[in-house]
Amino acid sequence: MTPVKKDVRSKRSRSPTFVNNLRGVKSWKDASAWLEYRGIEDIECITPDQAGVARGKMMPSSKFTSNTSLALPSAVFMATISGGYPEDGNGFVYPEDDGDLKMVPDLSTLTVVPWEDDPTAAVICDLVHQDGRTVEFTPRNVLKNVVAAYDKLGLKPVVAPEIEFYLVHKNPDPDYPLTPPVGRSGRAIGGGAGYSIAGVNEFDELIDDIYHFSESQGLEIDTLIHEEGAGQLEINLRHGDPIELADQVFMFKRTIREAALKHNIYATFMAKPIQGQPGSAMHIHQSIIDKKTGANIFTASDGSETDQFFHFIGGMQQHVPNALVMLAPYVNSYRRLTQAASAPVNNKWGYDNRTTAFRVPRSDPAARRVENRIPSSDANPYLALAASLACGLIGLKNRLESEAPVVTTANEDEIDLPRGLLEAVDLFEQDEELASLLGKTFATTYAAIKRAEFETFMEVISPWEREYLLLNV
């Protein structure tokens, strides 16, 4: 063994254990040692905007650890997905000064960026006003506020997201439809491959990169499967704290996109990217823990369901239709929510019934949970979790009654959800109790953004219009 290798081994043996953390440190002093140990040159200071897109700043690691002040314009969190801004009205007022918001790094999220050539790390930041007050309308803070509302009642929500997405051919011209990619067999991927191991194996090298990138960042994948759609995959995450899981989904989306680009294809989280193929969901499993006892409040000592279990479902049934715009945030989202499909258009619940909006999976009593099957994968994970948990919390606080469970097919007759974006925004604006829990500034800002996005969509002429109206009307 050469002296150099011996020195390296000796240095590692003398290093504090926290520098081996794949994700997160406790203090700025620890952060400096963690970055130095890895030879990190650059830091991405990022935060999710209303769409869940990473916004922020990049800087040298030496500047990051020198108590540098970070800021973003408040307008970042008032922009539409296309980069426009909403008009004032319905309670929303665009700030005249467009002042800065301070970025506060959450060092528990510090991790490497494995796809960068130069040694790079990333850290997720929260936003505060210049005087230190929490910014109410930023997505991570919205979720934190909902979790805090549970905490005041001595409760702790536990969630587990499942994220579906498509792999597709690169499509630089948006006028052309998306098509499935070619796998290692040399053929384009077909549909109907649900749970197919061969379907997963078509993309072995890409999936290996997803796993490697995830492991480097301390992101824990529970399972990965091929879904029903052509080139559609699903990743399930281990259950845990809502904020930590939202952070993981936020980082997973970046990771999956980067891994796909490395293999010259796109990964998309559009709710309905390919006509005639199934949509992509972000199912959310939810249970609530009593912080004093550590017990699941959905289960009584004899293993039966509690009143709180039914109240939680009652809150979901009554308020999720009003919160739909946070679970299905774009015009395209509603193409997924159609009758006689696996994506529900009802607000029913049932035991292990996948045609209902709220499914109670088969499990041991201690693991009893409610799966919200409505959210699409295009939703901002912070806002989807905040909306779903807020609806359940309203049910718990108001002791709302749930309907009887459905034991038959629930998705063929009644439509209980808004059928389009504007209808969803209208219902969202009318639910004052939901707005109070999420934050009224957030509610007015978010509604204004969604209305502006709809108006932008209306400026585009679709192929359907050209095909059926051009020569016939």
Side-chain angles (χ1 to χ4, degrees):
M1 185 177 292
T2 64
V4 172
K5 290 184 179 180
K6 183 176 180 181
D7 288 346
V8 170
R9 186 178 63 180
S10 176
K11 178 182 177 182
R12 288 178 177 172
S13 66
R14 296 193 303 267
S15 300
T17 56
F18 69 80
V19 298
N20 294 311
N21 293 352
L22 295 176
R23 188 171 185 81
V25 295
K26 294 182 178 179
S27 68
W28 281 99
K29 181 179 178 182
D30 291 355
S32 295
W34 189 94
L35 295 168
E36 182 180 0
Y37 181 74
R38 286 166 173 74
I40 298 295
E41 298 175 4
D42 299 307
I43 303 285
E44 296 177 352
C45 300
I46 58 176
T47 194
D49 67 4
Q50 303 293 4
V53 175
R55 306 288 185 182
K57 296 183 177 181
M58 179 174 280
M59 64 178 57
S61 59
S62 58
K63 188 174 182 181
F64 174 73
T65 55
S66 63
N67 202 25
T68 297
S69 178
L70 295 165
L72 284 178
S74 58
V76 167
F77 304 95
M78 301 173 191
T80 66
I81 192 67
S82 60
Y85 296 93
E87 299 290 336
D88 290 358
N90 297 318
F92 171 75
V93 178
Y94 189 86
E96 294 183 4
D97 59 359
D98 191 16
D100 278 346
L101 303 174
K102 292 176 66 176
M103 301 176 71
V104 180
D106 182 344
L107 296 179
S108 70
T109 67
L110 182 64
T111 187
V112 298
V113 181
W115 52 81
E116 291 288 352
D117 293 332
D118 295 328
T120 303
V123 65
I124 299 174
C125 300
D126 286 316
L127 279 299
V128 300
H129 292 285
Q130 295 297 323
D131 59 7
R133 289 178 296 117
T134 298
V135 178
E136 186 183 57
F137 54 83
T138 56
R140 200 167 189 255
N141 287 339
V142 172
L143 178 56
K144 282 189 170 186
N145 289 339
V146 172
V147 172
Y150 274 92
D151 187 66
K152 288 180 181 179
L153 299 177
L155 302 175
K156 177 178 175 58
V158 177
V159 301
E162 301 172 349
I163 314 142
E164 297 171 349
F165 60 96
Y166 273 88
L167 301 174
V168 298
H169 265 305
K170 277 191 172 181
N171 186 38
D173 189 338
D175 278 342
Y176 288 91
L178 296 170
T179 57
V182 173
R184 66 175 187 170
S185 67
R187 293 185 174 184
I189 302 302
Y195 295 94
S196 166
I197 299 300
V200 172
N201 290 341
E202 284 285 320
F203 304 101
D204 268 347
E205 293 184 1
L206 167 57
I207 290 170
D208 283 345
D209 282 336
I210 291 174
Y211 274 118
H212 293 154
F213 286 170
S214 299
E215 288 170 4
S216 299
Q217 298 171 89
L219 302 174
E220 295 185 82
I221 296 175
D222 192 14
T223 58
L224 184 147
I225 65 169
H226 196 290
E227 264 291 351
E228 289 293 325
Q232 186 185 33
L233 303 178
E234 175 183 290
I235 283 180
N236 298 337
L237 307 184
R238 295 183 182 180
H239 65 273
D241 175 80
I243 298 163
E244 292 179 8
L245 266 297
D247 287 341
Q248 289 201 37
V249 175
F250 175 53
M251 298 301 289
F252 262 121
K253 283 189 170 184
R254 297 187 72 205
T255 298
I256 292 166
R257 288 192 188 101
E258 290 291 340
L261 286 173
K262 181 179 175 182
H263 294 267
N264 204 36
I265 59 177
Y266 289 155
T268 179
F269 296 88
M270 281 179 65
K272 188 78 168 180
I274 302 177
Q275 185 174 323
Q277 294 291 330
S280 291
M282 182 172 62
H283 298 155
I284 301 172
H285 293 254
Q286 307 157 101
S287 59
I288 310 298
I289 303 301
D290 185 310
K291 295 185 69 176
K292 286 185 178 180
T293 66
N296 184 344
I297 70 168
F298 291 164
T299 300
S301 57
D302 64 357
S304 63
E305 299 93 335
T306 62
D307 289 341
Q308 290 169 303
F309 168 76
F310 295 109
H311 294 328
F312 185 91
I313 293 176
M316 300 280 285
Q317 288 188 300
Q318 291 192 31
H319 289 272
V320 161
N322 303 339
L324 184 63
V325 71
M326 296 173 66
L327 310 175
Y330 303 103
V331 173
N332 179 262
S333 310
Y334 297 84
R335 301 189 190 281
R336 167 182 166 262
L337 298 173
T338 57
Q339 282 181 299
S342 58
V345 291
N346 60 76
N347 67 343
K348 306 296 188 291
W349 76 279
Y351 294 99
D352 201 21
N353 187 339
R354 283 186 168 83
T355 70
T356 60
F358 313 117
R359 168 179 171 258
V360 179
R362 298 184 187 278
S363 69
D364 294 333
R368 183 171 282 122
R369 60 197 185 274
V370 179
E371 177 192 15
N372 184 351
R373 296 178 58 79
I374 292 177
S376 47
S377 62
D378 57 359
N380 180 328
Y382 299 91
L383 299 184
L385 287 171
S388 193
L389 290 172
C391 293
L393 182 57
I394 293 172
L396 291 173
K397 293 174 70 174
N398 296 343
R399 299 180 179 274
L400 299 179
E401 295 297 327
S402 65
E403 298 176 3
V406 174
V407 296
T408 57
T409 299
N411 213 36
E412 293 182 350
D413 299 322
E414 298 180 23
I415 298 179
D416 303 315
L417 302 178
R419 295 297 294 124
L421 185 62
L422 283 188
E423 184 184 347
V425 175
D426 286 339
L427 283 181
F428 180 67
E429 291 177 321
Q430 294 168 22
D431 195 326
E432 294 184 2
E433 192 166 14
L434 183 63
S436 178
L437 188 52
L438 296 171
K440 292 184 178 179
T441 304
F442 162 74
T444 55
T445 301
Y446 190 75
I449 290 171
K450 293 298 133 182
R451 289 188 183 281
E453 287 176 348
F454 181 81
E455 293 304 321
T456 303
F457 168 78
M458 290 299 290
E459 295 174 4
V460 179
I461 309 302
S462 70
W464 185 94
E465 293 164 276
R466 289 192 290 270
E467 179 165 353
Y468 293 105
L469 304 181
L470 180 67
L471 301 178
N472 293 328
V473 297

